[in-house]
């Protein structure tokens, strides 16, 4: 398990230009640290209306429920804010010890700005007994040792001679994987890699009992819209984000994140401020993608990653301001002021099911704050292993025989570009120059052309990016990433003809490839060929790849709707939402589904009205009105039902509501009903206006003779 900690730190430090040192002393045996696997400890903060801690509750005041079933609380202890850390950690139970990992995941130029804040925390504000680790070195509460480590930068390359070679090998191997993976890295993949490494770090921290805080200083990573996958960046790994939340709950891990750029970052855009709202993207029924993001938006996306992991773990994010030490204030504050509650975890046969926690207290007017969801440990391990395999596959997919044939100078330039990228996503110009040198030295270098295209996309130059992808395909006609990036870059530009042509080229030799079939389906839909879109999307689904390409269900649904099959379209939409629980277009799709269901309900109401079943009509339309669906038709048929049931007041009120709707003209019968109601109450002038409006809209109405006769009689009576 200790290898996991150092390996994860290795990946993090690779982005900061440093190589990690293993712990200076071996970790205690896991047996000494293992908390009962069946026991869940939960931190619950209780405050009154004014936000003041409530510290007088007893165990009988609390109730714990998991998935709605009551759980017997085994223990309850209030941890005061003034005693969050113990003066002597060896004198208390292991699961009452608190630890803080200080992680500097930033380039050296920004790390320099963080060190003074870390120094002040250790020297002046370190609570007694709080164990601290700098960059994965041994946890200690010895201030002098910590300050010495800080001043010597004990985790850097100069200290390698004192490291454990086996752990160092694991770290270097992980760094190598990260750099290889950089071949497919732009902003979105960079953020995904960051997220995965933080999760790996949590796996290692879970070895230790008690409360674990991570003070993370970083330039951030993006959690925004991913144009490659048509999802939000890293939310393609949305299950991993939920697992992060669950792992934090089960192991009491909290991230306190700091954007090391401070106010400096905001200078890129004077109006930039964090907004948790997602960036605007086009809806599911428009086909085209959202536009490019400006500098301020890119900053927000990077900061979003810091906010997400803080929120998911019950910590706090600090994304603006030059006081980089605020995170330590929050860490110290949160070391106490909560109840530590425990209960036995109930057994389950479904390890992959998220468990929901609810805590109640027998006291009114208080606010509760606690982590509410978690997963089984075995489930988390399985998901992480699957994610590792996926990352390995993505790295292997980048292999091309042209790489082995490249001369040494070209390969050196390519590796230098990767080294530059490993420091973060803000060094595009330098990396692009190295890749241009690599491809000039060896024009058949498919891997270098593909990465060059990726970086040109990130740099906002899609035209030359498309040319780079074409050159990669020319160099290696069987290099899948080049086809994929070519298609998706054209997709961003709205060039659906190029997307379809690229997909067809690839499918000539790989007819069952789900990625190519999905691109063919998407491009066919956007070019107006619903039948071809449906055929390609159905092949993706029939091939068992719907989980990897959930939007194939959406495309098929769109095509089915366009071909007049709303029931089948609704089935596909619902399947899509089941597969893509964090879909950015969920609201729009659910709205469309609700409209279809309401339309079906309204059609049933029409049939009931034709049969004179007015009570059923009133009941059905009441539900539609309550749900605010199909309001024009619902109000009209409700008014018609009330008219036939003798409630003229309700009939008049809802007929007026129907008439006031913006689409009232599509139901001219509203005017006819309002005419009848006006006539019944003796307002012949309004009745005449309504009947004339109805006849103008319905000149062939079977009621015309009778209405014209009545209007003539009223006119004659008025003359007298």
């Amino acid at each position: 398990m200790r290898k996991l900690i150092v390996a994860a730190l290795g990946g993090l430090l690779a982005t900061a230009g440093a190589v990690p040192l293993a712990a200076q002393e071996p970790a205690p045996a896991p047996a000494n640290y293992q908390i009962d696997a069946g026991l869940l400890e939960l931190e619950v903060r209780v405050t009154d209306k004014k936000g003041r801690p409530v510290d007088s509750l007893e165990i009988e005041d609390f109730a714990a429920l998991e998935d709605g079933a009551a759980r017997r609380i085994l223990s309850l202890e209030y941890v005061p804010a003034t005693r969050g850390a113990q003066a002597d950690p060896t004198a208390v139970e292991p699961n009452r010890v608190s630890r803080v990992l200080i992680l500097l995941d930033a380039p050296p130029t920004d790390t320099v700005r963080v060190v003074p804040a870390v120094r002040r925390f250790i020297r002046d504000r370190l609570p007694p007994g709080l164990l601290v680790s700098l960059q994965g070195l041994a946890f200690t509460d010895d201030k002098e040792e910590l300050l010495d480590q800080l001043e010597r930068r004990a985790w850097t390359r100069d200290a390698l001679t004192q490291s454990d070679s086996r752990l160092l090998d694991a770290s270097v191997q992980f760094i190598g994987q990260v750099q290889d993976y950089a071949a497919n890295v732009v902003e979105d993949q960079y953020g995904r890699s960051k997220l995965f490494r933080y999760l790996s770090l949590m796996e290692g921290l879970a070895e230790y009992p008690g409360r674990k805080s991570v003070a993370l200083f970083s330039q951030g990573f993006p959690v925004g819209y991913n144009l490659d996958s048509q999802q939000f960046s890293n939310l393609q790994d949305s299950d991993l984000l939920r697992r992060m939340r669950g792992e934090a709950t089960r192991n009491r891990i909290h991230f306190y994140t700091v954007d090391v750029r401070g106010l400096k970052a905001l200078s890129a855009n004077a109006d930039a401020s964090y907004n948790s709202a997602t960036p605007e993207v086009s809806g599911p029924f428009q086909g085209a993608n959202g536009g490019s993001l400006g500098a301020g938006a890119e900053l927000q996306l990077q900061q979003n990653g810091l906010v997400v992991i803080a929120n998911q773990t019950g910590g706090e994010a600090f994304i603006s301001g030059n006081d980089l030490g605020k995170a330590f204030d929050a860490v110290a504050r949160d070391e106490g002021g909560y109840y530590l509650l425990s209960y036995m975890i109930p057994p389950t046969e479904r390890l992959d099911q998220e468990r929901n926690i609810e805590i109640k207290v027998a006291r009114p007017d208080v606010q509760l704050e606690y982590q509410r969801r978690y997963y089984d440990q075995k489930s988390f391990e399985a998901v992480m292993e699957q994610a590792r395999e996926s990352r390995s596959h993505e790295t292997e997919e980048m292999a091309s025989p042209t790489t082995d044939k490249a001369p040494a100078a070209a390969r050196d330039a390519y590796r230098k570009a990767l080294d530059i990228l490993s420091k973060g996503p803000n060094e595009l110009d330098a990396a692009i120059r190295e890749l241009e040198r690599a491809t000039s030295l060896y024009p058949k270098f498919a891997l270098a052309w593909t990465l060059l295209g990726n970086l040109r996309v990130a740099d906002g130059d899609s035209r030359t990016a498309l040319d780079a992808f074409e050159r990669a395909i020319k160099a290696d006609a069987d290099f899948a990433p080049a086809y994929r990036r070519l298609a998706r870059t054209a997709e961003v530009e709205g060039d659906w003809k190029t997307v379809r042509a690229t997909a067809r080229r690839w499918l000539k030799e790989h007819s069952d490839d789900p990625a190519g079939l999905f691109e063919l389906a998407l491009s066919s839909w956007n070019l107006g060929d619903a039948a071809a879109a449906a055929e390609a999307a159905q092949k993706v689904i029939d091939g068992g790849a719907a989980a990897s390409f959930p939007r194939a269900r959406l495309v098929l649904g769109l095509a089915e709707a366009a071909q007049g099959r709303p029931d089948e379209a609704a089935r596909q939409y619902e399947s899509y939402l089941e597969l893509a629980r964090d879909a950015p277009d969920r609201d729009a799709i659910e709205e469309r589904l609700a409209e279809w269901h309401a339309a079906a309900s309204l059609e049933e109401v029409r049939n009931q009205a034709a049969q004179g079943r007015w009570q059923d009509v009133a009941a059905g339309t009441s539900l539609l009105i309550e749900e605010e669906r199909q309001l024009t038709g619902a109000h009209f048929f409700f008014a018609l039902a009330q008219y036939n049931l003798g409630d003229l007041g309700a009939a008049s009120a809802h007929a007026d509501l129907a008439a006031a709707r913006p689409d009232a003209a599509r139901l001219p019968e509203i005017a006819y009903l309002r005419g009848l109601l006006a006539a019944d109450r003796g307002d012949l002038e309004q009745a005449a206006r309504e009947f004339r409006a109805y006849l103008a809209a319905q000149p062939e109405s079977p009621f015309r003779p009778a209405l014209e006769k009545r209007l003539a009689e009223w006119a004659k009576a008025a003359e007298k």
Side-chain angles (χ1 to χ4, degrees):
M1 177 62 77
R2 192 65 178 171
K3 283 188 178 182
L4 281 176
I5 300 174
V6 179
L9 286 169
L12 293 169
L13 289 169
T15 66
V19 179
L21 174 64
Q24 293 177 330
E25 57 188 50
N32 296 334
Y33 276 76
Q34 186 63 45
I35 301 173
D36 183 355
L39 188 70
L40 179 74
E41 290 190 321
L42 192 68
E43 299 172 8
V44 182
R45 299 182 187 275
V46 185
T47 55
D48 62 18
K49 287 183 176 180
K50 296 183 178 180
R52 297 172 299 195
V54 175
D55 58 5
S56 58
L57 299 175
E58 303 292 339
I59 191 169
E60 56 269 17
D61 296 320
F62 284 80
L65 297 90
E66 186 168 303
D67 293 330
R71 304 304 304 165
R72 185 168 71 89
I73 298 175
L74 300 179
S75 65
L76 182 79
E77 174 189 351
Y78 185 73
V79 180
T82 56
R83 289 195 305 108
Q86 302 295 329
D88 182 5
T90 63
V92 297
E93 297 179 17
N95 62 339
R96 297 299 184 267
V97 176
S98 293
R99 292 174 170 80
V100 177
L101 169 62
I102 301 175
L103 195 58
L104 311 182
D105 182 21
T109 52
D110 285 314
T111 299
V112 169
R113 301 179 63 242
V114 178
V115 167
V118 177
R119 183 186 300 115
R120 286 193 298 272
F121 169 69
I122 295 172
R123 185 186 60 207
D124 304 330
R125 292 183 283 176
L126 181 64
L130 181 64
L131 299 179
V132 177
S133 167
L134 287 175
Q135 299 291 84
L137 299 179
F139 282 101
T140 180
D141 61 347
D142 187 325
K143 288 187 178 183
E144 291 185 5
E145 181 179 351
L146 289 168
L147 290 171
D148 180 62
Q149 291 173 358
L150 183 67
E151 302 309 326
R152 290 189 297 110
R153 307 295 195 272
W155 55 87
T156 60
R157 189 178 300 273
D158 294 338
L160 289 180
T161 56
Q162 303 298 320
S163 67
D164 183 320
S165 61
R166 291 170 302 169
L167 296 178
L168 177 61
D169 288 344
S171 301
V172 172
Q173 181 181 10
F174 191 89
I175 294 169
Q177 291 173 355
V178 171
Q179 291 176 334
D180 287 342
Y181 187 60
N184 200 26
V185 165
V186 205
E187 284 284 346
D188 51 351
Q189 291 94 341
Y190 176 77
R192 186 181 183 193
S193 181
K194 283 271 194 181
L195 171 64
F196 182 82
R197 296 201 300 275
Y198 293 144
L199 281 161
S200 298
L201 178 65
M202 292 177 72
E203 278 189 300
L205 285 173
E207 174 184 340
Y208 298 96
R211 179 183 175 89
K212 282 84 64 179
S213 300
V214 179
L216 171 62
F217 296 86
S218 170
Q219 286 190 342
F221 62 99
V223 180
Y225 193 58
N226 181 335
L227 296 172
D228 270 0
S229 63
Q230 298 293 292
Q231 300 178 33
F232 288 101
S233 296
N234 305 340
L235 293 187
Q236 57 189 324
D237 288 327
S238 58
D239 188 49
L240 282 182
L241 283 170
R242 285 189 289 271
R243 304 290 171 154
M244 170 178 272
R245 177 178 60 200
E247 191 73 351
T249 301
R250 201 161 36 78
N251 293 296
R252 299 175 62 196
I253 299 173
H254 309 270
F255 274 73
Y256 296 81
T257 58
V258 181
D259 187 336
V260 294
R261 295 165 294 183
L263 292 177
K264 177 180 67 173
L266 296 181
S267 65
N269 183 345
D271 297 326
S273 60
Y274 174 70
N275 187 335
S276 60
T278 52
E280 182 179 353
V281 296
S282 56
F285 309 110
Q286 296 173 336
N289 297 314
S292 60
L293 300 173
E298 286 185 9
L299 171 63
Q300 289 183 10
L301 292 187
Q302 291 176 7
Q303 291 177 333
N304 282 353
L306 296 176
V307 173
V308 165
I309 62 173
N311 288 345
Q312 292 290 83
T313 61
E316 189 171 350
F318 302 88
I319 59 172
S320 63
N322 284 327
D323 184 358
L324 300 182
K326 286 185 177 180
F328 294 123
D329 295 337
V331 168
R333 176 199 67 206
D334 291 347
E335 285 300 318
Y338 61 83
Y339 291 89
L340 188 61
L341 174 154
S342 70
Y343 66 82
M344 295 300 296
I345 297 174
T348 180
E349 295 180 357
R350 293 192 58 188
L351 298 182
D352 62 337
Q353 184 172 351
E354 191 174 36
R355 305 189 187 201
N356 296 285
I357 303 169
E358 183 180 5
I359 303 297
K360 298 180 179 180
V361 295
R363 177 166 172 173
D365 301 326
V366 296
Q367 301 292 324
L368 302 184
E369 180 183 339
Y370 58 93
Q371 295 286 85
R372 299 172 184 268
R373 297 175 180 86
Y374 74 100
Y375 286 88
D376 183 88
Q377 168 67 23
K378 292 182 179 178
S379 176
F380 178 75
E381 292 173 352
V383 168
M384 288 297 289
E385 183 59 31
Q386 183 180 13
R388 288 189 183 95
E389 291 177 0
S390 174
R391 286 168 55 81
S392 296
H393 172 71
E394 288 167 343
T395 300
E396 292 169 2
E397 188 185 50
M398 299 304 294
S400 168
T402 64
T403 304
D404 296 333
K405 298 176 184 178
R411 290 200 303 270
D412 288 344
Y414 176 77
R415 291 192 191 98
K416 188 172 181 181
L418 293 184
D419 289 340
I420 293 169
L421 285 177
S422 71
K423 299 175 183 178
N426 301 317
E427 305 290 337
L428 291 182
D429 289 343
I432 286 173
R433 286 194 297 271
E434 290 301 323
L435 290 168
E436 287 174 342
R437 187 164 71 91
T439 52
S440 66
L441 290 169
Y442 182 50
K444 293 184 178 181
F445 203 160
L447 188 58
W449 279 118
T450 302
L451 181 54
L452 178 58
N454 286 345
L455 299 189
R456 284 175 172 172
V457 169
D459 202 34
D461 190 355
S462 296
R463 183 183 59 81
T464 58
L466 292 170
D467 178 68
F469 297 134
E470 286 285 7
R471 287 173 180 265
I473 293 170
K474 184 178 180 181
D476 183 354
D478 203 41
F479 192 46
Y483 286 91
R484 192 167 301 134
R485 292 299 300 170
L486 173 60
R488 291 175 180 173
T489 303
E491 183 180 315
V492 172
E493 295 297 306
D495 184 359
W496 295 105
K497 290 183 179 180
T498 296
V499 176
R500 183 167 64 179
T502 304
R504 286 174 172 171
R505 286 161 63 190
W506 176 251
L507 290 170
K508 279 185 179 180
E509 301 297 330
H510 308 82
S511 59
D512 296 328
D513 179 64
L517 288 168
F518 174 70
E519 293 295 346
L520 180 60
L522 191 63
S523 57
S524 296
W525 166 254
N526 281 279
L527 290 170
D529 191 343
E535 180 182 1
Q538 189 66 60
K539 287 182 179 179
V540 175
I541 296 165
D542 292 344
S548 299
F549 298 90
R551 285 175 67 88
R553 291 281 188 185
L554 175 59
V555 173
L556 183 55
L558 291 168
E560 294 289 1
Q563 296 176 90
R565 294 188 287 270
D567 291 344
E568 179 60 24
R571 189 175 72 84
Q572 296 299 334
Y573 286 169
E574 288 165 352
S575 296
Y576 166 62
L577 293 180
E578 288 177 6
L579 291 169
R581 288 185 287 178
D582 295 292
D585 38 20
R586 173 175 288 275
D587 290 344
I589 293 172
E590 288 180 339
E591 180 69 21
R592 176 61 60 88
L593 286 170
E595 289 175 359
W596 283 350
H597 291 319
S601 298
L602 195 61
E603 186 61 31
E604 177 63 21
V605 164
R606 289 180 183 275
N607 294 333
Q608 293 168 348
Q611 300 170 29
R613 295 161 52 191
W614 299 114
Q615 292 286 1
D616 292 338
V617 171
T621 50
S622 292
L623 289 175
L624 289 174
I625 292 169
E626 183 178 338
E627 296 172 358
E628 297 187 356
R629 303 293 182 188
Q630 299 287 334
L631 287 179
T632 303
H635 281 302
F636 167 70
F637 279 105
F638 184 82
L640 186 61
Q642 295 304 323
Y643 179 79
N644 282 277
L645 292 171
D647 189 343
L648 301 185
S652 293
H654 284 272
D656 290 345
L657 288 172
R661 300 284 301 168
D663 58 344
R666 67 183 180 85
L667 269 178
E669 290 84 357
I670 296 172
Y672 179 69
L673 177 58
R674 296 183 78 206
L676 293 176
L677 290 164
D680 285 347
R681 62 176 180 263
D683 189 348
L684 300 185
E685 184 176 346
Q686 182 184 352
R689 286 198 304 271
E690 298 292 347
F691 286 152
R692 290 192 186 99
Y694 168 70
L695 291 174
Q698 294 284 88
E700 303 299 326
S701 170
F703 303 128
R704 174 174 285 279
L707 288 178
E708 287 181 340
K709 181 179 179 181
R710 180 177 291 190
L711 289 170
E713 290 173 353
W714 287 346
K716 185 180 292 185
E719 291 176 358
K720 295 180 180 180

